[in-house]
Amino acid sequence: MRLYSFFRSSAAYRVRIALNVKGVAYETVSVDLPGSAHHSPEFRAVNPQATVPTLDDDGTILWQSLAIIEYLDARFPAPRLIPAEPVARAHVQALAQVIVCEIHPLNNLRVLKYLRGELKLDEAAVGKWYSHWIGEAFGPLEQLVTRFSGGRYCYGDSLSIADVCLVPQMYNARRFAVDLAPYPTLVRIASQLEAEPAVAAAAPNLQPGAA
Ligand SMILES: N[C@@H](CCC(=O)N[C@@H](CS)C(=O)NCC(=O)O)C(=O)O
């Protein structure tokens, strides 16, 4: 397997965690997002959406992190990241989507570029935007995880797609110096997860191309 990734990409970080948790070996192709390598004709030929992560599984191209993780869960079912039981399945997907659908699209590189370039916002305003959308979702997520967590993970007693999405989002929040004091449960769970070897090995600073 070949993963097109960028060390700081939180969406690629999700897939790296999923691959590691399942013990799937892969090769990394580092796509320099700040250098706009994702807009090159070569990369667009692989993924016309010009986003990472993109997974090449023996010539089959997959993109969109949640779709990739669902694929990996079907192809390598142990350990399951998406439970089979219908309620647990819907719940973990909903927790993951709070991050993937409600935060990430508003704080993505191309959105920040637009705020800085087209709307001429300064760094203070961009930081305010970034923190605002994290807070809008982390507030309810803190309550939901407090309700559903067995203590160690976001949902019940096993690592799920919700945890896979939480760790990279927490990394982003720290990178932009978001005040995390209102989210003690999320902070504790993310810290515990970061100490697990499969999760630790996916950390941005350990990836090819890391500054
Ligand atoms: N919803 C997509 C988002 C993919 C995405 O936008 N990835 C970012 C990096 S985290 C990217 O490639 N950004 C390029 C850009 O915004 O120009 C997913 O979950 O895979």
Side-chain angles (χ1 to χ4, degrees), residues 33-46:
L33 297 185
S36 295
H38 52 310
H39 293 304
S40 69
E42 292 77 18
F43 187 63
R44 280 188 184 274
V46 178

Side-chain angles (χ1 to χ4, degrees), residues 19-147:
L19 286 162
N20 291 351
V21 164
K22 291 177 176 294
V24 177
Y26 67 97
E27 169 200 340
T28 299
V29 180
S30 181
V31 180
D32 176 19
L33 297 185
S36 295
H38 52 310
H39 293 304
S40 69
E42 292 77 18
F43 187 63
R44 280 188 184 274
V46 178
N47 176 359
Q49 209 199 345
T51 52
V52 296
T54 301
L55 188 71
D56 178 345
D57 182 4
D58 203 18
T60 298
I61 301 297
L62 299 143
W63 69 103
Q64 286 287 342
S65 60
L66 287 190
I68 295 172
I69 294 166
E70 284 209 43
Y71 168 81
L72 292 172
D73 221 37
R75 184 135 148 53
F76 308 99
R80 273 198 173 281
L81 294 172
I82 305 172
E85 193 280 315
V87 174
R89 184 179 184 84
H91 279 168
V92 297
Q93 285 178 321
L95 294 174
Q97 286 173 23
V98 171
I99 292 169
V100 174
C101 305
E102 316 289 346
I103 302 177
H104 189 253
L106 290 159
N107 284 353
N108 213 330
L109 176 64
R110 55 194 175 275
V111 173
L112 303 186
K113 266 189 178 166
Y114 188 82
L115 295 177
R116 291 181 182 118
E118 295 292 322
L119 302 185
K120 310 289 180 215
L121 298 192
D122 61 21
E123 280 314 301
V126 171
K128 201 171 167 187
W129 167 280
Y130 201 95
S131 301
H132 175 77
W133 295 114
I134 290 184
E136 282 285 309
F138 265 21
L141 195 62
E142 169 76 15
Q143 290 180 39
L144 289 162
V145 167
T146 303
R147 187 186 299 171

